Amino acid sequence: MIIPHFHLHVFGRNKNNAIKLTHSNDKNKNPDCHLGINFVVHSENFEQVYKSIEYFKRLGANHIKITPMWRKENFAEYHAPMKERVLEQIGGGRKIFEDENFKVYDT
Protein backbone atom coordinates (compact mmCIF):
# COMPACT_ATOMS: atom_id res chain seq x y z
CA MET A 1 0.00 0.00 0.00
CA ILE A 2 1.33 3.46 -0.83
CA ILE A 3 1.26 5.89 2.07
CA PRO A 4 2.37 9.48 1.50
CA HIS A 5 5.60 10.29 3.35
CA PHE A 6 4.05 12.90 5.62
CA HIS A 7 1.51 10.36 6.92
CA LEU A 8 3.99 7.62 7.82
CA HIS A 9 4.43 8.63 11.46
CA VAL A 10 0.72 9.01 12.10
CA PHE A 11 -0.07 5.82 10.18
CA GLY A 12 2.48 3.83 12.18
CA ARG A 13 1.14 5.11 15.48
CA ASN A 14 -2.45 4.38 14.46
CA LYS A 15 -1.47 0.95 13.16
CA ASN A 16 0.11 0.10 16.51
CA ASN A 17 -3.01 1.28 18.35
CA ALA A 18 -5.19 -0.82 16.04
CA ILE A 19 -3.06 -3.89 16.65
CA LYS A 20 -3.37 -3.40 20.40
CA LEU A 21 -7.14 -3.04 20.07
CA THR A 22 -7.72 -6.01 17.81
CA HIS A 23 -5.23 -8.39 19.40
CA SER A 24 -5.95 -7.56 23.00
CA ASN A 25 -6.21 -10.50 25.36
CA ASP A 26 -7.60 -8.24 28.07
CA LYS A 27 -10.55 -9.97 29.68
CA ASN A 28 -12.08 -6.54 30.26
CA LYS A 29 -12.13 -5.72 26.54
CA ASN A 30 -15.63 -4.86 25.37
CA PRO A 31 -16.71 -7.57 22.89
CA ASP A 32 -18.89 -4.97 21.16
CA CYS A 33 -15.82 -2.89 20.27
CA HIS A 34 -15.25 -3.08 16.51
CA LEU A 35 -12.54 -1.60 14.33
CA GLY A 36 -13.78 -0.09 11.08
CA ILE A 37 -11.67 1.45 8.34
CA ASN A 38 -12.78 4.16 5.92
CA PHE A 39 -10.78 4.04 2.69
CA VAL A 40 -11.32 7.15 0.56
CA VAL A 41 -10.55 6.47 -3.10
CA HIS A 42 -8.79 9.07 -5.24
CA SER A 43 -6.55 9.10 -8.29
CA GLU A 44 -3.39 8.33 -6.31
CA ASN A 45 -4.63 5.26 -4.41
CA PHE A 46 -7.34 3.62 -6.54
CA GLU A 47 -5.03 0.74 -7.49
CA GLN A 48 -4.50 -0.11 -3.80
CA VAL A 49 -8.12 -0.95 -2.93
CA TYR A 50 -7.71 -4.74 -3.01
CA LYS A 51 -4.38 -4.65 -1.17
CA SER A 52 -5.91 -2.38 1.45
CA ILE A 53 -8.83 -4.74 2.00
CA GLU A 54 -6.37 -7.57 2.52
CA TYR A 55 -4.09 -5.49 4.74
CA PHE A 56 -6.80 -4.25 7.09
CA LYS A 57 -8.40 -7.69 7.38
CA ARG A 58 -5.02 -9.12 8.38
CA LEU A 59 -4.57 -6.23 10.81
CA GLY A 60 -7.77 -7.36 12.54
CA ALA A 61 -10.35 -4.82 11.37
CA ASN A 62 -13.99 -5.85 11.45
CA HIS A 63 -14.92 -3.96 8.30
CA ILE A 64 -13.67 -1.58 5.65
CA LYS A 65 -15.79 0.95 3.80
CA ILE A 66 -14.58 1.99 0.36
CA THR A 67 -15.89 5.37 -0.69
CA PRO A 68 -15.01 7.83 -3.46
CA MET A 69 -13.37 11.11 -2.51
CA TRP A 70 -15.97 13.86 -2.46
CA ARG A 71 -15.58 16.66 -4.99
CA LYS A 72 -18.02 19.51 -5.23
CA GLU A 73 -17.38 19.88 -8.95
CA ASN A 74 -16.82 17.19 -11.59
CA PHE A 75 -17.35 14.30 -9.15
CA ALA A 76 -18.51 11.78 -11.76
CA GLU A 77 -15.95 12.90 -14.34
CA TYR A 78 -13.12 12.66 -11.82
CA HIS A 79 -14.01 9.10 -10.76
CA ALA A 80 -15.09 7.74 -14.16
CA PRO A 81 -11.62 6.53 -15.26
CA MET A 82 -11.15 4.65 -11.97
CA LYS A 83 -14.65 3.33 -11.33
CA GLU A 84 -14.51 -0.08 -13.04
CA ARG A 85 -11.07 -0.91 -11.65
CA VAL A 86 -12.19 0.02 -8.13
CA LEU A 87 -15.36 -2.07 -8.43
CA GLU A 88 -13.31 -5.05 -9.65
CA GLN A 89 -11.04 -4.79 -6.63
CA ILE A 90 -13.99 -4.46 -4.23
CA GLY A 91 -15.62 -7.56 -5.75
CA GLY A 92 -12.39 -9.53 -5.53
CA GLY A 93 -11.82 -8.40 -1.97
CA ARG A 94 -15.30 -9.46 -0.95
CA LYS A 95 -14.91 -12.85 -2.58
CA ILE A 96 -11.58 -13.63 -0.94
CA PHE A 97 -11.66 -11.82 2.41
CA GLU A 98 -15.25 -11.42 3.58
CA ASP A 99 -16.41 -13.77 6.31
CA GLU A 100 -18.45 -13.64 9.51
CA ASN A 101 -15.79 -11.45 11.15
CA PHE A 102 -14.94 -9.08 8.31
CA LYS A 103 -17.13 -7.18 5.84
CA VAL A 104 -16.39 -4.94 2.85
CA TYR A 105 -18.79 -2.07 2.28
CA ASP A 106 -18.85 0.46 -0.53
CA THR A 107 -20.73 3.62 -1.36
Side-chain angles (χ1 to χ4, degrees), residues 27-69:
K27 63 183 176 186
N28 296 320
K29 181 181 172 194
N30 183 341
D32 294 326
C33 180
H34 295 272
L35 176 61
I37 304 297
N38 288 325
F39 185 93
V40 179
V41 178
H42 53 77
S43 63
E44 294 184 28
N45 72 358
F46 78 97
E47 287 290 350
Q48 282 80 43
V49 171
Y50 181 88
K51 289 179 184 177
S52 296
I53 293 169
E54 176 182 19
Y55 177 82
F56 288 112
K57 171 167 179 142
R58 292 184 194 278
L59 186 67
N62 299 97
H63 70 269
I64 185 168
K65 181 173 78 170
I66 313 296
T67 187
M69 180 180 72

